[in-house]
C-alpha cells in the first residue's frame, strides 16, 4: 500500500527519535510541501496564528541538529530552511547540493540532484563547508 505523506512525515520524526507534536508535524509538512526553501517567518505564517514562536524556532534548531532540514543562505540576511531529502544523513545533507535562486519569484530551490562541483584549493587551504548558490530563472517562471 502507498504511504500517505502524513505517514512519511510521522515516520521521519520517529526515525530521528523525535516525538510527534503538532508544531513538529506542521513544520515538516510545510517544508515538504513547499518546493523551495522557507524562512522562519513564512513557516510561522503557514502554521497559522497561535503558533508559539519560541517552540517554532526550537523545533527548527532541533530539526537542523538532527539533519532533517538544512539552512539555505543567500546574500540577504534571511535564513531559510529546506527539508532534506529522505534518507540523507546528518553530515552529507547540508553540503552536497547546489541551491538556485530565482530572480523572478525570489524562491530558493534545493537542487538535490546537482552536486557541488569539486574545486581545487591552494595548498594549505582546507574547506569545511560549502554554499553553492546559482541564480537565474526557475522552471516555474521560465
Ligand atoms: Zn521563479
Ligand atoms: Zn538544499
Amino acid at each position: 500500500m502507498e504511504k500517505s505523506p502524513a505517514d512519511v512525515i510521522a515516520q521521519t520524526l520517529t526515525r530521528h527519535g523525535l516525538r510527534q507534536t503538532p508544531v513538529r508535524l506542521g513544520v515538516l509538512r510545510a517544508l515538504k510541501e513547499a518546493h523551495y526553501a522557507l524562512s522562519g517567518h513564512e513557516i510561522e505564517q503557514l502554521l497559522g496564528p497561535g503558533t508559539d514562536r519560541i517552540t517554532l524556532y526550537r523545533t527548527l534548531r532541533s530539526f537542523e541538529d538532527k539533519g532533517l532540514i538544512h539552512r539555505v543562505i543567500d546574500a540577504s540576511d534571511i535564513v531559510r530552511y529546506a527539508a532534506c531529502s529522505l534518507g540523507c544523513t546528518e553530515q552529507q545533507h547540508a553540503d552536497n547540493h547546489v541551491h538556485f535562486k530565482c530572480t523572478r519569484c525570489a524562491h530558493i530551490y534545493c537542487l538535490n540532484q546537482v552536486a557541488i562541483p569539486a574545486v581545487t584549493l591552494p595548498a594549505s587551504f582546507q574547506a569545511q563547508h560549502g554554499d553553492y548558490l546559482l541564480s537565474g530563472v526557475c522552471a516555474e517562471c521560465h
Side-chain angles (χ1 to χ4, degrees), residues 97-135:
H97 63 267
V98 165
H99 289 135
F100 187 95
K101 181 170 187 169
C102 177
T103 51
R104 293 203 190 149
C105 63
H107 292 152
I108 301 183
Y109 299 85
C110 286
L111 301 183
N112 288 308
Q113 69 278 32
V114 184
I116 293 177
V119 292
T120 307
L121 293 170
S124 308
F125 283 79
Q126 219 180 359
Q128 282 170 334
H129 180 76
D131 288 314
Y132 199 97
L133 182 71
L134 295 172
S135 61

Side-chain angles (χ1 to χ4, degrees), residues 37-85:
L38 299 172
S39 66
H41 181 72
E42 287 170 323
I43 297 169
E44 197 182 333
Q45 304 281 301
L46 286 167
L47 293 185
T51 303
D52 180 53
R53 191 171 290 173
I54 294 171
T55 308
L56 171 62
Y57 282 90
R58 200 181 291 142
T59 300
L60 289 171
R61 170 55 61 92
S62 72
F63 279 2
E64 220 186 327
D65 290 346
K66 298 261 183 192
L68 275 78
I69 63 173
H70 61 277
R71 276 169 193 248
V72 181
I73 293 163
D74 69 351
S76 73
D77 283 336
I78 301 166
V79 175
R80 293 182 177 80
Y81 300 90
C84 292
S85 50

Side-chain angles (χ1 to χ4, degrees), residues 6-24:
D7 287 345
V8 173
I9 287 164
Q11 282 169 9
T12 305
L13 287 177
T14 308
R15 202 154 43 85
H16 287 85
L18 294 165
R19 273 189 317 117
Q20 292 174 35
T21 66
V23 171
R24 284 176 183 159

